[in-house]
Amino acid sequence: MNTSTEIELKIPEGVVVTDRALTPKAKQIFTTENLEVLAALHRKFQSDRKALLAERNKRQAAFDNGALPEYEDTNTEAASGNWIVNPIPEDLRRRRVEITGPVNSAKMVINMLSRNSDGYRADMAMLDFEDSMKPSWENVLDGVLNVQGASQGNLSWTDPSNPAKHYELDPKDMAGVMVRVRGLHLDEVNVTIDGEPVSGGIFDLWMTACTMVENQMKRGKTPKYYVPKCEHYLEARWWNNVFSEIEEILDVSPGTIKTTFLIETLTGAFQIEEILFELRERAAGLNVGRWDKIFSDIKVLKTHRGRIMEDRATINMHKYWMDNYAKRLIKICHSRGAFAIGGMSAFTPGKTEEARAEQTAKVVADKGYEAAIGHDGCWVSHPYFIGYALNEFKHDNQLSRTLDDFDKYPDILPNSKGDCTMKGLRTNVRVGIGYMQGWNQDIGCVAWDGLMEDLATLEISRAQTWQWLHHNTTLSCGTKVTKELIHTVFEEELEKILAEVDESLSGKNDALANKLKKEFTQAAADAEAAFVKDELDDFLSMASDPA
């Protein structure tokens, strides 16, 4: 299934690639054959995908009317049967630290896969088509090409403005390659099949797998994918069927492609064992996706007045419902022979030694706790913290720790008792402005106030502000949250950001300062509009941008 730029591209019947999308880069990726397979996958799986998305809407309607998520029947084969996942390949049995970032940046991909300035390297690197990447067409295509290069071990990049800055992989010393595809809900609008946009997840999966699987196997490596935002075991079954179909097309053995699913939705947390059961042929593990989980907690229970969530900055893994969810995942995964990967420390290195020391202490404490309760590894968002995180995980894995004394069915319903504060509202607004400025420039993750904000953390701020507004929440200072208050806070935080731009650039680069101020002003308007809608959108975006 190798791509070729020498063979004339014939678009299969029923497939439409928009004129603006059929770029030289697209022609470098597409072949008649791989577009035919894409069309076949769409035709086989799209109707079931639509049905699963409709079921999401039905469940949410029930939650909005007062229902709560519940555990599944405990007497099923999934919950009480004597099964384990297929053996985990040797090259996936040490995942102490995984670094994540957008797949579209060749420089970032190389840095994630390579050693940092202190000589530390992550065990695995998750190359992301989802929350850390804005799904512009150019970004998606760059991501496909970068996966090709990374899976071959020969990806390189030269800074066009400074050719002396050249980056390349060392194929003999690089982290394991993993790819996270887009979630079930996301459409890729630049390719339609029989008049419908193709699933973004199927597009990412097939357009990378058609080269990556062979590339990885030639190098003695296991093809490995991450799948996000699974809400139900039937969704896991759908994904497993897609993987199985691709394996058959590529003529590789069933279960060759390994997966780690992120358990990062409230409904998914109630179905951890059922999800893993559906994936037992190919599961390498599950992951505690803490940030999307917090977003999901708020979104699922958004109309429940008794479950209004406190400031996002105070919701951590020590809240009982978060701790129970993580331990439940560890217990189930290890009992079934799968890895249990911990969550993301979303720090970026501070500009001062004091700031870096404070951030490092938080990362060490966070990763130390994850290792202590039994996780096999964790995520970091920046190479700077790899060594510190590695030091907390003393063993290749902790599969033997099955948490025998922990109840498999703990209380994991959020029940926040902390304060909703003006500081928290200002944080949400400031994150909204900062993130939307990047999003509008086709950037999916933004270093902002010492943290790496991606789509998941933006979604927390958006959903939380909406929830506080919807319930006319009274903040700890006595002020009620209204549209007028939110508008005022947006104006005030924007003014601060514009002043920071002036302080940083005025007199040094006035053109850039003026450009950024216009961008932040537009970002503030866009973020405010998203935060105060009458009905909370399920996601900031449900589709890619047209080319």
Side-chain angles (χ1 to χ4, degrees), residues 216-233:
Q216 289 287 82
M217 292 178 71
K218 280 182 177 178
R219 299 180 63 230
K221 306 293 184 182
T222 303
K224 168 75 167 57
Y225 282 86
Y226 257 100
V227 175
K229 295 180 177 60
C230 184
E231 295 192 11
H232 197 279
Y233 71 87

Side-chain angles (χ1 to χ4, degrees), residues 429 431-434 436 458 462 490 522-532:
V429 166
V431 167
I433 298 171
M436 288 304 298
L458 177 278
R462 179 178 69 91
F490 264 100
Q522 182 61 54
D526 293 342
E528 183 178 353
F531 281 28
V532 301

Side-chain angles (χ1 to χ4, degrees), residues 474-545:
T474 299
L475 301 178
S476 60
C477 61
T479 303
K480 285 189 177 297
V481 178
T482 63
K483 284 189 177 182
E484 292 73 23
L485 175 65
I486 292 170
H487 180 69
T488 297
V489 173
F490 264 100
E491 287 186 327
E492 292 172 352
E493 293 305 313
L494 174 61
E495 185 176 350
K496 293 176 188 176
I497 291 169
L498 298 183
E500 291 166 9
V501 171
D502 276 333
E503 182 180 355
S504 176
L505 293 172
S506 184
K508 302 173 186 176
N509 191 335
D510 289 340
L512 178 58
N514 290 332
K515 176 177 179 292
L516 287 174
K517 287 193 286 187
K518 288 180 181 177
E519 290 174 0
F520 279 119
T521 301
Q522 182 61 54
D526 293 342
E528 183 178 353
F531 281 28
V532 301
K533 284 188 172 184
D534 290 340
E535 297 293 331
L536 179 68
D537 289 337
D538 287 341
F539 298 97
L540 179 70
S541 175
M542 298 288 287
S544 62
D545 286 351

Side-chain angles (χ1 to χ4, degrees), residues 63-250:
F63 299 144
D64 289 347
N65 285 322
L68 291 169
E70 298 177 340
Y71 287 116
E72 295 292 301
D73 183 355
T74 60
N75 294 315
T76 63
E77 184 183 358
S80 58
N82 185 24
W83 60 271
I84 59 173
V85 302
N86 279 2
I88 295 174
E90 192 61 35
D91 64 323
L92 297 180
R93 294 186 67 83
R94 186 168 75 169
R95 299 170 60 183
R96 299 163 300 171
V97 174
E98 300 181 346
I99 187 167
T100 76
V103 69
N104 61 291
S105 167
K107 176 184 174 183
M108 291 184 72
V109 168
I110 293 167
N111 284 339
M112 284 190 287
L113 290 164
S114 303
R115 294 191 178 275
N116 66 13
S117 58
D118 295 323
Y120 292 104
R121 174 175 62 70
D123 293 323
M124 309 294 292
M126 191 272 281
L127 315 183
D128 189 21
F129 282 94
E130 215 231 3
D131 277 355
S132 68
M133 190 195 83
K134 168 75 177 291
S136 70
W137 186 237
E138 186 76 6
N139 284 349
V140 170
L141 297 179
D142 283 339
V144 173
L145 293 172
N146 288 339
V147 171
Q148 290 180 10
S151 63
Q152 291 170 334
N154 61 10
L155 184 64
S156 63
W157 182 79
T158 301
D159 187 340
S161 64
N162 184 359
K165 290 187 175 180
H166 179 74
Y167 301 78
E168 61 183 34
L169 289 176
D170 179 352
K172 296 180 180 179
D173 183 20
M174 56 182 278
V177 175
M178 307 181 296
V179 176
R180 178 164 70 170
V181 299
R182 281 173 280 182
L184 188 76
H185 62 287
L186 282 162
D187 288 335
E188 176 48 70
V189 302
N190 293 290
V191 180
T192 61
I193 297 167
D194 303 333
E196 288 185 305
V198 70
S199 155
I202 283 183
F203 182 92
D204 302 338
L205 177 53
W206 171 244
M207 287 299 163
T208 56
C210 66
T211 57
M212 175 183 165
V213 171
E214 181 181 1
N215 290 341
Q216 289 287 82
M217 292 178 71
K218 280 182 177 178
R219 299 180 63 230
K221 306 293 184 182
T222 303
K224 168 75 167 57
Y225 282 86
Y226 257 100
V227 175
K229 295 180 177 60
C230 184
E231 295 192 11
H232 197 279
Y233 71 87
L234 292 178
E235 294 180 8
R237 183 179 299 174
W238 181 89
W239 279 107
N240 188 65
N241 289 339
V242 174
F243 279 105
S244 295
E245 185 74 10
I246 287 174
E247 287 169 337
E248 186 173 338
I249 291 165
L250 296 176

Side-chain angles (χ1 to χ4, degrees), residues 19 41 117 120-121 192 200 298 311 348 355 418 422 469 481 490:
D19 290 342
L41 291 169
S117 58
Y120 292 104
R121 174 175 62 70
T192 61
I298 299 170
D311 287 7
T348 57
M422 181 63 75
L469 173 63
V481 178
F490 264 100

